[in-house]
């Protein structure tokens, strides 16, 4: 429910890693320039399906607009291909320079979305101290959830125990969580040698936060959905000074989650966490697709790409996983 596919060569490189095993994905709009009109959204959707090739028949790109002040006519024009609108506060993450400066000034657009039944997906961070950014933003979610009770709000990629607690306080509040935030903490990113491929926004937090997220995921908390936030960057943009934020998790997502849920005796909740909760919450009806996960070890490649275009280092590069998606 949260996927970055990018565009051009990168889109062509990464698309099959998600369109192969998944029946659909929410496509994030933070391109440069961002996706802000019906025309751009529909054309981007077509490029995704083209890049998906043989997988296109059973892969539904759920398209999003980058939050701006939209008129009813602008939203209505996008509606046939539109799933949701994604709000980025200004400057909090990759390509969020066009994000909004004042959330309260956006009330008219929230009201329209509420009336038109368009979900609001939010990158919920302030620009405060990096470990406190999500917690500081929680009061904004409370305000939005209270003032727009019929607006379906999704707290994207939550990373704190406090955000899990907030889920149960407002009926119209939901959340996604990444696979990596169920597994890593800040120690894995920066506790030893710096690990640029685990650097993402929001940054991984404390063990107590990770444990709260994991408990909710393993229990298939009914308001929590898997959102991979798979966010590919070229290798040279990660392995450098000024490393870009984003973890490229798509190639290992299902095997790694199967391993995690199996380790905790929770495989019976894997389907709900990955897909069932999202389909119920959003009333989705993705194309029929079955995949088989088998307990069979494999080594994650250290690179994706054949050198003719971008090279991306996947999450868990070089490590051995216990599960694989059967071809
Ligand atoms: C994402 C990206 O690279 O587009 N990066 C990230 O660290 N998660 C943007 C985002 O989802 O914040
Ligand atoms: Zn993201």
């Amino acid at each position: 429910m949260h996927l970055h596919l990018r565009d051009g060569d990168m889109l062509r490189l990464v698309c099959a890693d998600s369109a192969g095993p998944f029946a659909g994905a929410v496509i994030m709009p933070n391109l440069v320039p961002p996706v802000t009109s019906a025309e751009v959204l529909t054309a981007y959707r077509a490029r995704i399906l083209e890049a998906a090739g043989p997988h296109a028949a059973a892969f539904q790109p759920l398209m999003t607009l980058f939050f701006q002040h939209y008129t009813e006519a602008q939203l209505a024009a996008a509606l046939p291909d539109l799933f949701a609108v994604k709000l980025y506060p200004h400057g909090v993450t990759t390509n969020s320079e066009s994000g909004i400066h004042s959330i309260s000034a956006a009330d008219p657009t929230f009201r329209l979305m509420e009336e038109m039944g368009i979900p609001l997906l939010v990158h919920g961070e302030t620009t405060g101290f990096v470990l406190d950014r999500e917690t500081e933003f929680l009061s904004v979610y409370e305000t939005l959830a209270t003032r727009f009770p019929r607006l379906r709000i999704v707290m994207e990629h939550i990373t704190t125990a406090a955000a899990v607690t907030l889920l149960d306080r407002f009926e119209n509040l939901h959340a996604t969580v990444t696979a990596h935030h169920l597994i890593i903490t800040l120690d894995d990113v920066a506790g030893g040698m710096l690990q640029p491929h685990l650097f993402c926004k929001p940054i991984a937090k404390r063990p107590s936060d990770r444990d709260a997220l994991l408990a909710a995921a393993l229990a298939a908390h009914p308001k929590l959905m898997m959102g991979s936030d798979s966010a590919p960057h070229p290798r040279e943009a990660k392995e450098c000074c000024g490393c870009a934020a984003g973890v490229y998790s798509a190639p290992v997502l299902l095997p790694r989650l199967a391993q995690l849920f199996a380790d905790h005796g929770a495989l019976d909740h894997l389907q709900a966490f990955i897909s069932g909760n999202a389909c119920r919450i959003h009333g989705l009806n993705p194309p029929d697709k079955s995949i088989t996960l088998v307990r069979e070890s494999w080594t994650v490649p250290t690179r994706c790409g054949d050198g003719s275009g971008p090279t991306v280092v996947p999450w868990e590069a070089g490590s051995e996983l216990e599960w694989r998606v059967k071809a």
Side-chain angles (χ1 to χ4, degrees):
M1 298 307 288
H2 183 137
L3 177 65
H4 298 270
L5 285 180
R6 316 300 191 201
D7 213 338
D9 284 351
M10 186 63 97
L11 169 62
R12 283 185 285 275
L13 173 64
V14 303
C15 193
D17 284 338
S18 294
F22 287 90
V26 175
I27 311 299
M28 289 296 146
N30 62 333
L31 305 180
V32 187
V35 179
T36 54
S37 72
E39 295 72 35
V40 172
L41 180 130
T42 298
Y44 184 34
R45 182 175 181 277
R47 292 198 297 284
I48 291 168
L49 289 174
E50 193 189 329
H55 303 300
F59 180 70
Q60 196 173 56
L62 300 164
M63 304 304 294
T64 61
L65 281 174
F66 192 100
F67 192 97
Q68 285 189 344
H69 304 287
Y70 289 111
T71 63
E72 186 172 356
Q74 287 171 320
L75 290 176
L79 217 46
D81 285 330
L82 182 68
F83 169 68
V85 178
K86 172 74 186 287
L87 185 152
Y88 294 87
H90 174 81
V92 297
T93 190
T94 307
N95 303 336
S96 63
E97 291 73 22
S98 331
I100 60 169
H101 288 268
S102 162
I103 291 192
S104 54
D107 277 9
T109 304
F110 296 142
R111 188 144 294 120
L112 282 173
M113 290 171 60
E114 184 178 44
E115 281 162 13
M116 297 170 84
I118 302 169
L120 173 70
L121 319 182
V122 184
H123 184 118
E125 289 196 285
T126 67
T127 51
F129 175 64
V130 69
L131 286 179
D132 297 335
R133 286 174 189 178
E134 182 173 296
T135 319
E136 285 175 0
F137 195 88
L138 295 181
S139 62
V140 178
Y141 284 127
E142 294 187 38
T143 306
L144 287 174
T146 307
R147 299 197 50 224
F148 303 97
R150 287 178 297 113
L151 179 63
R152 195 182 314 137
I153 302 167
V154 182
M155 307 188 280
E156 291 295 332
H157 44 48
I158 58 170
T159 59
T160 58
V164 178
T165 305
L166 194 63
L167 262 184
D168 295 321
R169 287 194 35 219
F170 296 91
E171 206 186 311
N172 55 337
L173 209 50
H174 305 82
T176 64
V177 66
T178 76
H180 47 282
H181 286 112
L182 302 178
I183 294 169
I184 66 168
T185 70
L186 185 56
D187 264 356
D188 296 291
V189 186
M193 302 261 274
L194 191 64
Q195 299 300 325
H197 298 293
L198 296 180
F199 172 62
C200 66
K201 302 288 179 71
I203 194 99
K205 306 278 184 327
R206 297 167 180 81
S208 54
D209 292 307
R210 189 259 325 266
D211 295 348
L213 297 164
L214 180 58
L218 293 173
H221 186 297
K223 296 175 86 183
L224 188 64
M225 304 166 271
M226 197 279 288
S228 72
D229 198 11
S230 179
H233 289 277
R235 182 177 170 226
E236 58 277 14
K238 294 291 286 177
E239 298 178 2
C240 63
C241 241
C243 159
V247 174
Y248 183 45
S249 56
V252 299
L253 202 53
L254 289 176
R256 192 64 190 85
L257 283 170
Q259 193 168 317
L260 181 69
F261 276 61
D263 287 347
H264 289 86
L267 276 177
D268 54 332
H269 284 162
L270 187 62
Q271 174 84 34
F273 173 62
I274 291 181
S275 163
N277 284 351
C279 291
R280 177 180 41 76
I281 289 167
H282 293 298
L284 297 172
N285 190 15
D288 243 356
K289 180 184 273 185
S290 298
I291 53 137
T292 305
L293 286 155
V294 289
R295 189 157 216 158
E296 200 176 283
S297 74
W298 62 292
T299 303
V300 181
T302 54
R303 309 261 185 279
C304 300
D306 62 7
S308 65
T311 299
V312 184
V313 177
W315 183 33
E316 299 279 23
S319 61
E320 194 175 305
L321 297 189
E322 289 168 30
W323 290 76
R324 71 151 74 236
V325 177
K326 205 166 146 187

